Amino acid sequence: MNKIKEYWAKKIVKKKLLNVKQLDSNSFVKKVGIVIDESYFSDKEALIAELIQNGIEAENVSILIFKDVIKKNENIDSPFFSYRDISWSGLIEKSDVVAFIELEFDLLISYYDIEKAGLLQTTNHSKAKFKVGFSSIDKRLNHFMIDTNAENYRVFITELFKYLKILNKI
């Protein structure tokens, strides 16, 4: 049932991508939001450590985690959502996700390389000024894309900060 729900929700979200806003800010990066698909990448502490090592303050980093399945007694220490929280039309009404979307980040890192409706919807509706993601995701969603996979977080962060310096964002 989740596969059918994912198919329809992704189809609806992709139609909404036709109205994506273009980059309109030249501000410096201070507040960073990260949307992580923990189904494929679970080393979020190392990713955050790389951000801190490159000059981002720990208190300015917010994380939202997506998991395909949440086990009954699983304890997740960050805001999260799953397929259960996504409606058939692709909307997410969970308070953690809505609060994350409403935050105005200077940089949103969409740290997932496989398209899933909930992740696409979260990135699309985020009020972040500059969005970065993987090149395997729909090109209309992010302002900047990096060509690597989610397991190579060091390469991703190195490339990200190299281009943030070029774009005069740090």
Side-chain angles (χ1 to χ4, degrees):
M1 198 66 153
N2 276 343
K3 295 220 184 254
I4 296 170
K5 184 177 176 181
E6 170 70 14
Y7 171 78
W8 283 112
K10 192 188 310 184
K11 189 173 182 174
I12 291 168
V13 170
K14 288 251 189 189
K15 281 185 182 179
K16 291 179 183 178
L17 287 178
L18 297 174
N19 301 326
V20 174
K21 296 177 189 173
Q22 295 301 317
L23 179 63
D24 62 349
S25 172
N26 288 329
S27 64
F28 290 105
V29 172
K30 292 181 181 112
K31 286 187 74 177
V32 177
I34 309 172
V35 180
I36 297 177
D37 182 0
E38 205 170 78
S39 306
Y40 294 99
F41 181 77
S42 60
D43 204 2
K44 67 180 182 221
E45 291 83 16
L47 182 65
I48 294 170
E50 288 287 325
L51 288 171
I52 293 169
Q53 187 177 9
N54 281 287
I56 304 296
E57 295 179 19
E59 61 271 3
N60 290 336
V61 177
S62 299
I63 294 180
L64 180 64
I65 295 172
F66 176 83
K67 291 191 79 155
D68 288 336
V69 178
I70 298 173
K71 297 175 182 132
K72 197 171 194 173
N73 295 327
E74 187 173 12
N75 186 17
I76 302 173
D77 59 348
S78 299
F80 67 94
F81 68 109
S82 68
Y83 282 118
R84 263 190 274 155
D85 303 310
I86 304 169
S87 71
W88 284 85
S89 62
L91 294 177
I92 306 166
E93 296 177 359
K94 187 171 181 183
S95 61
D96 289 343
V97 179
V98 172
F100 185 86
I101 289 171
E102 292 299 317
L103 291 173
E104 291 192 18
F105 297 111
D106 298 315
L107 173 66
L108 178 70
I109 299 173
S110 301
Y111 206 81
Y112 53 89
D113 55 0
I114 295 175
E115 291 183 349
K116 295 180 181 175
L119 295 166
L120 296 173
Q121 184 79 338
T122 303
T123 300
N124 187 32
H125 288 293
S126 173
K127 295 192 174 166
K129 297 173 185 168
F130 190 67
K131 298 176 184 179
V132 176
F134 289 92
S135 61
S136 59
I137 303 302
D138 194 310
K139 310 295 185 238
R140 301 170 290 184
L141 198 59
N142 296 305
H143 298 113
F144 186 72
M145 283 115 355
I146 297 174
D147 188 20
T148 186
N149 57 27
E151 291 81 26
N152 295 330
Y153 67 91
R154 284 191 178 104
V155 172
F156 183 88
I157 295 296
T158 302
E159 291 295 310
L160 172 63
F161 278 92
K162 179 171 73 172
Y163 286 103
L164 286 176
K165 286 177 187 172
I166 292 170
L167 294 170
N168 212 15
K169 295 234 172 248
I170 54 172

